[in-house]
Structure formats: structure tokens, C-alpha cells
């Protein structure tokens, strides 16, 4: 698959400056770090993570955190 055809997806967790999601794998797990969150008198910037890896996208979107809305797509 050509990497130019892959679309990036950006995920967000509102209300947190950082968030770590552990995705289980047969060999242990993959840690996904959401970073860059900010809260100020001017507004809220959620912690974010961006990927174009279709396997990671499927794994993130299968988590309870995504299904309940804690993790959202920007």
C-alpha cells in the first residue's frame, strides 16, 4: 500500500493535558500517548494523537474509551 494514500486521523481527549492508552497485542501491548492538552481562560485544547496506520486506527476505535466518547475524532 502506498503511504501517500493513507489518511491521517487525529484523536482527542478533552479535559486532560495528557492521556495514555494501552492497546493490548499478542506480544504485550502498544502505548498510545495523547499530548499537547491545554486549559486556559481562553479555552481548552484537548490532548491529541494522530496516526495514519490503519491497524492503530481500528484498534483505537475498538476501545471502550472511543465507544463511550472519552476519545473522539477531531
Amino acid at each position: 500500500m502506498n503511504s501517500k494514500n493513507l489518511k491521517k486521523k487525529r484523536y482527542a481527549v478533552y479535559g486532560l493535558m495528557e492521556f495514555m492508552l494501552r492497546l493490548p497485542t499478542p506480544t504485550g501491548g502498544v502505548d498510545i500517548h495523547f499530548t499537547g492538552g491545554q486549559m486556559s481562560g481562553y479555552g481548552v485544547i484537548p490532548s491529541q494523537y494522530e496516526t495514519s496506520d490503519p491497524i492503530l486506527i481500528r484498534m483505537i476505535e475498538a476501545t471502550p474509551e472511543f465507544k463511550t466518547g472519552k476519545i473522539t475524532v477531531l
Side-chain angles (χ1 to χ4, degrees), residues 3-64:
S3 63
K4 292 180 183 180
N5 296 332
L6 297 176
K7 287 192 173 191
K8 287 186 180 180
K9 267 194 153 175
R10 182 175 292 171
Y11 297 94
V13 177
Y14 283 89
L16 296 174
M17 290 195 256
E18 293 184 19
F19 177 72
M20 187 175 77
L21 177 68
R22 165 71 57 128
L23 298 174
T25 65
T27 59
V30 176
D31 291 332
I32 304 294
H33 297 272
F34 291 73
T35 60
Q38 298 178 15
M39 292 183 227
S40 72
Y42 297 104
V44 175
I45 297 173
S47 58
Q48 300 175 30
Y49 177 77
E50 184 176 74
T51 184
S52 59
D53 185 328
I55 295 170
L56 282 179
I57 290 170
R58 267 186 266 133
M59 290 175 74
I60 291 169
E61 294 181 2
T63 64

